[in-house]
Amino acid sequence: TGLIDALGEWVLRTACAELRTLGLQEAPLPRMSVNVSARQFKQRDFADIVRQVVAETGVAMTSLEFEITESLLLDATAAIEGMLGTLSAAGARIALDDFGTGYSSLAYLKRYPVDVVKIDRTFIKDLPFDKSSAAITGAIISMAHALDKRVVAEGVETAAQAALLTELGCDEFQGYYLAKPLSAAELAAFLMRSQAPRDRSGAAPAAVPRIARTVGAAHGE
């Protein structure tokens, strides 16, 4: 119906507004991750919409991460490739969502400015007991790191999963192990609790565990 265009813009604007509010509350959230549908990404003026929203809400482009699916890259046109390059050059990060479940190709990671690879929860849910899942997860992490990409594991729900992923070198976690879905107010409180106080030497607070605050208009998240 095309309604995803208007809905996607609303999601982006809402996400940026929440990020701005968190910043004013001094809640430590380094970036906001936003799902973008393939249709929405194919809009010729999508980059202009992003710039307008960023300017209106007062957030930094570098604080945004756009999550796209592999299907978008399957038949990527020059326009889509250019859009990825434009957003990346402006400082936004590009994350490849649900990696490993669709048309996974190393060519995507080589050709396009992808910063983050998100391993689908299909490979995470049986860790640490399923050797095949562990092998595939480890291979994806090693491959992504060799290409200078960061890796996020989706659907992490247990300490055992987190421990194995840490051992395998995974950079970030997303899932119920950290927190269940939170409202904006609950997220602010969670982040403030997570922020460690400075020590007597004046050292900066310890790094806050990665919370994927993903507002999903693209595929039902």
Side-chain angles (χ1 to χ4, degrees):
T1 63
L3 290 177
I4 191 65
D5 295 337
L7 177 60
E9 182 175 344
W10 176 85
V11 167
L12 174 62
R13 192 176 302 277
T14 302
C16 288
E18 287 187 3
L19 182 60
R20 173 62 175 168
T21 299
L22 289 170
L24 293 175
Q25 295 174 342
E26 298 184 355
L29 186 68
R31 66 184 179 278
M32 181 73 78
S33 184
V34 182
N35 291 109
V36 181
S37 74
R39 178 187 172 101
Q40 185 183 0
F41 204 86
K42 291 176 182 177
Q43 290 179 281
R44 292 185 177 181
D45 61 346
F46 180 65
D48 294 332
I49 292 173
V50 172
R51 293 191 190 95
Q52 179 182 355
V53 171
V54 165
E56 290 177 358
T57 56
V59 301
M61 185 73 81
T62 53
S63 65
L64 289 178
E65 178 177 286
F66 294 102
E67 294 192 15
I68 60 175
T69 57
E70 294 172 295
S71 60
L72 176 67
L73 303 181
L74 181 62
D75 297 311
T77 63
I80 291 177
E81 188 171 355
M83 185 71 69
L84 286 168
T86 297
L87 292 173
S88 181
R93 302 210 316 179
I94 305 297
L96 192 56
D97 201 11
D98 301 332
F99 188 82
T101 60
Y103 309 95
S104 302
S105 171
L106 300 182
Y108 299 155
L109 303 183
K110 178 181 178 181
R111 178 177 178 180
Y112 302 107
V114 173
D115 303 290
V116 180
V117 173
K118 301 189 68 177
I119 305 175
D120 188 78
R121 70 180 305 275
T122 302
F123 304 109
I124 306 301
K125 64 184 181 65
D126 294 325
L127 296 180
F129 308 107
D130 185 79
K131 292 183 178 180
S132 296
S133 294
I136 293 172
T137 299
I140 293 175
I141 293 172
S142 296
M143 174 197 65
H145 284 171
L147 295 172
D148 295 324
K149 316 296 183 186
R150 291 185 66 81
V151 182
V152 176
E154 300 181 310
V156 179
E157 298 184 352
T158 68
Q161 291 172 339
L164 177 59
L165 288 164
T166 299
E167 182 180 336
L168 293 174
C170 188
D171 301 298
E172 301 173 358
F173 306 148
Q174 172 183 328
Y176 283 10
Y177 177 66
L178 293 175
K180 292 187 176 183
L182 305 171
S183 68
E186 291 170 333
L187 176 63
F190 180 90
L191 292 172
M192 294 301 290
R193 290 196 303 270
S194 300
Q195 187 174 23
R198 292 179 178 271
D199 61 22
R200 293 181 181 180
S201 67
V208 175
R210 201 269 191 178
I211 307 299
R213 173 59 174 168
T214 305
V215 184
H219 40 274
E221 292 191 3

